[in-house]
Amino acid sequence: MKSLRRMLLLCVVAVAWSVGTAESSNPVSSVPKGSRAPRYFQITMILRYTASVDGPPAPAPQSVTTGVVVSDDKAGSCKVRMGSQIPVMMDGKSKYIDVGTNLDCNNVHLEGDGLALSIVLDTSRVREMVRLKDGNGVETEEPLITQRRIELSVKLPLDTPKVVFDSSAAAKVHPLEQLKPVGGGADAAAADKSAPARPVIVAPKVMTQDPAMQIEMTASEMK
């Protein structure tokens, strides 16, 4: 009887050891069940401009391309900075100002069969040069800067260009309310009577609406 019990005990131990050995031989995956590997996407934005008949020439189209990584548990983000500095004269002193295009893509995530994201676009450029005359009658030239800031939430189908913004249908605002010489012109001096007289625009011409801007975006997965 004792021999039988000993043999049964040895069999149980042997079976338990074999099961434990089999389980330890299988590697344990570090990837959570149901999750997928990160995916890489390329986002391309094209800015196009359309000038009015009596307006200034339209700028050439501009293309901006960036990449972003998206995973199941974390939204992606990316940013692009494309700028330059231009010299200007302000109050008799030379100064550099920044112009260009800045693009921020935030909360980039998969939504159905497309890519959803929020964008912030800041773009500025020199529209034209204007002649200014100071209190002593000295004339100088300063750039007239146009600035635009656009915030959008969009969904992009993969591999298909999509127009996400078009300002041609926006309400027209007189350009003088949006565009001013860098130095501030006569308005800055009017706000402070004790300040020296600011330069004023010499023979201002009738200004037309800034060219309409269209934003086209495309998202493509990088294999």
Side-chain angles (χ1 to χ4, degrees):
M1 180 64 69
K2 291 183 178 180
S3 298
L4 180 59
R5 290 179 179 176
R6 182 175 298 177
M7 291 179 63
L8 291 174
L9 179 62
L10 291 175
C11 290
V12 171
V13 172
V15 171
W17 178 84
S18 64
V19 172
T21 303
E23 290 180 351
S24 62
S25 63
N26 293 328
V28 178
S29 175
S30 59
V31 179
K33 185 178 180 180
S35 65
R36 294 175 295 179
R39 298 170 67 179
Y40 300 83
F41 294 89
Q42 177 177 287
I43 298 175
T44 300
M45 179 184 70
I46 299 178
L47 303 180
R48 295 189 179 93
Y49 299 88
T50 304
S52 58
V53 176
D54 58 346
Q62 183 181 18
S63 178
V64 179
T65 300
T66 184
V68 63
V69 182
V70 177
S71 58
D72 287 348
D73 58 348
K74 184 178 181 182
S77 63
C78 57
K79 59 178 60 179
V80 180
R81 299 290 182 265
M82 301 173 59
S84 59
Q85 292 186 322
I86 60 173
V88 297
M89 293 295 297
M90 296 177 58
D91 298 329
K93 297 180 181 180
S94 179
K95 180 181 178 180
Y96 286 87
I97 60 173
D98 297 319
V99 295
T101 299
N102 297 333
L103 173 66
D104 290 352
C105 299
N106 302 308
N107 193 28
V108 186
H109 60 280
L110 291 168
E111 188 174 297
D113 56 354
L115 202 64
L117 65 155
S118 298
I119 68 169
V120 178
L121 173 66
D122 286 293
T123 179
S124 59
R125 64 183 181 86
V126 177
R127 174 171 173 168
E128 60 183 301
M129 301 296 292
V130 295
R131 288 189 299 129
L132 302 178
K133 181 183 293 185
D134 62 16
N136 298 322
V138 178
E139 292 189 8
T140 59
E141 277 194 333
E142 289 187 8
L144 197 64
I145 306 297
T146 178
Q147 295 178 318
R148 286 172 170 171
R149 179 180 177 88
I150 299 170
E151 299 183 20
L152 295 172
S153 293
V154 301
K155 180 181 178 182
L156 305 176
L158 297 183
D159 303 317
T160 303
K162 179 179 179 179
V163 175
V164 299
F165 178 81
D166 192 335
S167 68
S168 60
K172 294 186 177 181
V173 179
H174 195 284
L176 287 178
E177 297 178 4
Q178 296 180 328
L179 308 176
K180 295 183 179 180
V182 175
D187 292 340
D192 183 2
K193 299 299 183 180
S194 62
R198 292 280 188 174
V200 296
I201 300 177
V202 177
K205 61 182 180 181
V206 176
M207 297 178 62
T208 56
Q209 185 72 19
D210 206 43
M213 183 174 69
Q214 183 187 85
I215 303 176
E216 179 186 283
M217 300 186 71
T218 306
S220 302
E221 186 167 8
M222 297 183 289
K223 303 298 184 178

